[in-house]
Amino acid sequence: MPPFTPEDVGSVRASFPALSGEYIFFNTAAGSQVLGSVADRVRDYLITPNLVNDGYKAAADFINASPDEIVFGSSATQLLHNLSHALSFSPEDEILLCPLDHESNIAPWLALAARQNLKIRWWHPQLPPEDQPGCVNPKLDLTNPPISPKTRLICLTHTTNILGTIHDIKSLSATIRLLNPQTLLCVDGVAHAPHRRIDVKDLGVDFYVFSWYKLFGPRISQLYAGPCARAQLQSMGHFFNPAESLDDKIGLAGGWCQELIYGIPAVVEHLTPRWEGVVDQEERLQSVLLGLLAALDGKITIYGEWCGDAKVRVPTVSFRVRGWKSKDFVEAIERETNGRVKLSWGTYYSVRLAKEVLGLGDDGVVRVSLAHYNTVEEIRLFYTALLKVLGLEGSGNGARKSDWKI
């Protein structure tokens, strides 16, 4: 598919009822806008008798899995806690965790280690010298994970929800198989799934979790477990029930909201023919935004990759403004735009990343998280408000208007 044209963007935006108003949504990482077709399918399921729910197959196909390899739940956090109760290791076995992760992929494993007398090891990122002034960019050496013969589980995010950095999970998986084939790999894909096609078989992961409500769909999350990993899980279900599929084992007979699952095929139908255009549009958006922020020499610190290359990051851009608390800056932008621009501040359940790695406090960062339905014009409006808030409008400090287009 060729790059998005203005007409393509207009067509995409028309698919999201919430975008018909005046608001500009820069908070996709907290929860995306929902496709109108998803809402239509949810409604249809609730009022139409005897519908066959094709959502299970669509959800599995979306990540190149089979229906017996997936389970639904209320959140990634809940699903990973369920998973942690179904795994059993030997005392002194090791779990490798990373402070770059959302707490949902840390807390369940700390609790598991406490229950089973396991050892926790931490995979700490490096803070290389600034490759761009005003940029703090922690990085993991994925070619040399700190695995030992006792490592049984490695947990890592596919894309960090603050930095926007993409980890090469496929390469990491291959390295793990060479170093210790017994080691399982559990990947949090919540911040990655809205921006890239996922193929769990190609990635080589054992567990993969993501949330449909951050993927333009219903308020439901999904966990994958590969065949070998699933065989190692103890069933949490009733003793008289089947214990073959992942849903049998850790679904807790929840029978998750069928109407929400029925809405999933609408997301798949929207994204499947558009992935190339999605990546191209988002690369355009993040390149414009990062270029504008970088032009504010000495006034902005960007956390994560400073360049807009879609190979290394997604359009989740976090920063701090010199002399400002993140909360105060966000509120100032809201006032300047009469509440039109919706962005956010905080540590986003990645407290270890924010505090231990980046050295920040509870105030965290300002986060602008974009999707393929956002536009350069929206970024322009935000940047104009930013210049006014910082008292830079007309001062010559900041990017030229000609830089707003590529």
Side-chain angles (χ1 to χ4, degrees):
M1 175 178 285
F4 271 24
T5 66
E7 291 74 20
D8 293 328
V9 176
S11 175
V12 165
R13 289 177 64 83
S15 301
F16 294 86
L19 300 183
S20 62
E22 64 177 4
Y23 295 116
I24 296 173
F25 296 102
F26 283 175
N27 52 4
T28 295
S32 68
Q33 301 310 305
V34 179
L35 285 158
S37 54
V38 169
D40 290 342
R41 282 184 65 96
V42 170
R43 177 184 180 277
D44 288 347
Y45 191 88
L46 290 172
I47 65 175
T48 307
N50 301 320
L51 281 178
V52 176
N53 200 334
D54 56 351
Y56 289 88
K57 185 177 187 306
D61 288 347
F62 186 72
I63 59 171
N64 191 25
S66 60
D68 63 344
E69 295 175 328
I70 67 170
V71 62
F72 295 104
S74 63
S75 67
T77 300
Q78 179 244 313
L79 286 169
L80 291 176
H81 272 289
N82 286 7
L83 178 62
S84 74
H85 282 275
L87 283 168
S88 181
F89 299 113
S90 300
E92 300 303 317
D93 279 349
E94 296 176 355
I95 298 176
L96 182 62
L97 303 178
C98 180
L100 296 179
D101 275 43
H102 187 288
E103 194 66 16
S104 64
N105 205 22
I106 295 177
W109 312 119
L110 293 176
L112 173 62
R115 291 194 302 270
Q116 298 185 6
N117 192 28
L118 310 176
K119 182 178 179 181
I120 293 293
R121 298 183 68 192
W122 290 94
W123 188 359
H124 293 287
Q126 300 299 312
L127 276 174
E130 292 184 1
D131 52 3
Q132 174 82 356
C135 177
V136 178
N137 190 17
K139 292 187 177 182
L140 289 176
D141 181 3
L142 297 178
T143 65
N144 188 30
I147 299 176
S148 81
K150 286 185 169 289
T151 305
R152 293 294 175 264
L153 177 67
I154 295 176
C155 304
L156 185 64
T157 183
H158 202 159
T159 293
T160 70
N161 73 332
I162 288 180
L163 306 176
T165 303
I166 299 173
H167 292 135
D168 187 348
I169 294 299
K170 181 177 180 178
S171 175
L172 173 63
S173 174
T175 300
I176 292 170
R177 304 307 172 217
L178 288 174
L179 295 176
N180 188 345
Q182 299 181 67
T183 301
L184 299 171
L185 176 60
C186 179
V187 176
D188 172 4
V190 172
H192 188 82
H195 309 289
R196 298 292 185 276
R197 187 191 304 272
I198 298 166
D199 184 333
V200 290
K201 301 300 170 58
D202 183 61
L203 291 172
V205 296
D206 297 291
F207 306 110
Y208 197 98
V209 68
F210 66 97
S211 296
W212 286 99
Y213 70 92
K214 299 188 179 185
L215 190 59
F216 324 114
R219 180 79 195 205
I220 197 166
S221 298
Q222 178 177 324
L223 173 70
Y224 158 84
C228 293
R230 193 170 79 250
Q232 299 181 45
L233 300 180
Q234 302 172 8
S235 177
M236 299 170 64
H238 300 308
F239 74 91
F240 49 79
N241 280 339
E244 299 300 322
S245 72
L246 186 61
D247 186 62
D248 293 338
K249 290 195 169 187
I250 67 172
L252 296 177
W256 272 93
C257 301
Q258 296 299 304
E259 67 273 16
L260 300 185
I261 296 172
Y262 191 73
I264 288 174
V267 180
V268 177
E269 181 179 352
H270 173 79
L271 286 173
T272 298
R274 289 187 171 93
W275 272 122
E276 185 177 344
V278 166
V279 175
D280 179 83
Q281 169 71 353
E282 291 186 347
E283 184 174 56
R284 178 184 298 112
L285 294 172
Q286 67 193 25
S287 296
V288 170
L289 176 60
L290 287 163
L292 293 173
L293 294 177
L296 296 168
D297 296 333
K299 297 178 178 63
I300 300 284
T301 299
I302 296 170
Y303 296 94
E305 298 285 349
W306 68 270
C307 71
D309 187 351
K311 295 184 181 66
V312 298
R313 67 140 54 244
V314 301
T316 298
V317 178
S318 297
F319 60 93
R320 285 184 64 89
V321 183
R322 189 180 66 186
W324 284 75
K325 292 183 177 180
S326 297
K327 177 178 181 290
D328 293 343
F329 177 79
V330 168
E331 291 177 348
I333 291 292
E334 290 181 348
R335 287 193 299 271
E336 181 60 39
T337 62
N338 294 317
R340 284 191 65 195
V341 175
K342 304 297 182 182
L343 64 160
S344 60
W345 64 274
T347 57
Y348 305 102
Y349 297 91
S350 295
V351 175
R352 299 171 199 272
L353 167 56
K355 294 188 174 182
E356 298 173 16
V357 179
L358 302 179
L360 304 176
D362 293 333
D363 191 53
V365 297
V366 178
R367 187 174 71 177
V368 176
S369 51
L370 308 172
H372 65 297
Y373 52 56
N374 289 116
T375 67
V376 172
E377 178 65 19
E378 291 178 328
I379 294 173
R380 182 201 65 78
L381 190 148
F382 162 68
Y383 190 71
T384 298
L386 179 152
L387 293 178
K388 290 181 178 179
V389 165
L390 299 184
L392 298 176
E393 187 183 32
S395 67
N397 293 310
R400 302 177 307 246
K401 290 194 174 183
S402 60
D403 296 329
W404 295 347
K405 300 178 181 179
I406 56 174

